[in-house]
Amino acid sequence: MKLKSVFMVFALAFIWLGPALAVAPDEVLNDPVLEERARALSANLRCMVCQNQSIDDSDAPLAKDLRVLVRERLVAGDSDAQVIDYLVSRYGEFVLLKPRFAWHNLVLWAAGPIALLTGLVGLFLAVRRRKSAVANTTPKPLSDEEQARLDSLLQEPKS
């Protein structure tokens, strides 16, 4: 039982420290304020190799180069916005994990709500059409002539 709990502690420690292992010790800045800014920036930048990971979490060589570039720009005195603008000008908006809201990517931002509204309108129309179809299938009462014919067909023949 004791061995199992020790194993669990080590497993949780490795899971918890996983993202921290991506940033190599030689990349870490001496200034804790700049390092914190660098970590915050690189958490919002996409690894161009992994694509769904931030450069802060990725072990890819390109991610390391981007982390170093971010730190170099911060040490040079750039603001966070200047670092982001520099990387976007160099790699395009794909480098951002969360794209900016702008006219050229309006379709990206509008596609989700438009698809949701289209689905809701389609569902509403389908339900309404279904209700009207059910209402139109209610049988009409038989005329006197049809009822007499039905009664004559249903009467048992007398022997």
Side-chain angles (χ1 to χ4, degrees):
M1 184 70 166
K2 192 174 190 177
L3 181 63
K4 190 175 184 180
S5 62
V6 170
F7 175 74
M8 290 299 291
V9 168
F10 278 115
L12 289 174
F14 281 117
I15 290 171
W16 182 61
L17 293 175
L21 296 175
V23 177
D26 63 329
E27 297 174 32
V28 177
L29 296 172
N30 292 333
D31 183 358
V33 173
L34 282 180
E35 179 60 26
E36 189 170 329
R37 284 178 55 203
R39 293 297 292 257
L41 285 171
S42 47
N44 293 314
L45 296 171
R46 181 187 315 272
C47 174
M48 305 302 271
V49 176
C50 308
Q51 295 190 3
N52 282 332
Q53 258 185 325
S54 71
I55 63 171
D56 203 34
D57 297 334
S58 175
D59 288 328
L62 179 62
K64 177 181 169 119
D65 293 344
L66 287 173
R67 288 192 302 266
V68 169
L69 181 62
V70 165
R71 283 166 173 77
E72 287 173 357
R73 302 293 297 191
L74 289 174
V75 168
D78 286 359
S79 69
D80 292 357
Q82 288 172 324
V83 173
I84 295 293
D85 290 341
Y86 176 78
L87 290 170
V88 167
S89 70
R90 195 166 181 188
Y91 296 100
E93 282 206 25
F94 187 70
V95 78
L96 301 175
L97 277 174
K98 181 181 177 194
R100 299 172 177 167
F101 182 78
W103 288 109
H104 66 274
N105 62 8
L106 182 63
V107 172
L108 173 69
W109 287 97
I114 288 173
L116 178 66
L117 287 175
T118 303
L120 290 174
V121 167
L123 184 63
F124 173 75
L125 292 175
V127 167
R128 198 170 110 187
R129 192 174 301 139
R130 173 97 178 183
K131 283 183 180 177
S132 68
V134 168
N136 290 338
T137 59
T138 305
K140 297 178 189 175
L142 297 175
S143 66
D144 291 338
E145 197 175 281
E146 291 169 332
Q147 187 65 45
R149 172 82 175 128
L150 180 63
D151 289 342
S152 69
L153 289 173
L154 291 177
Q155 284 180 0
E156 291 184 32
K158 296 179 184 178
S159 2

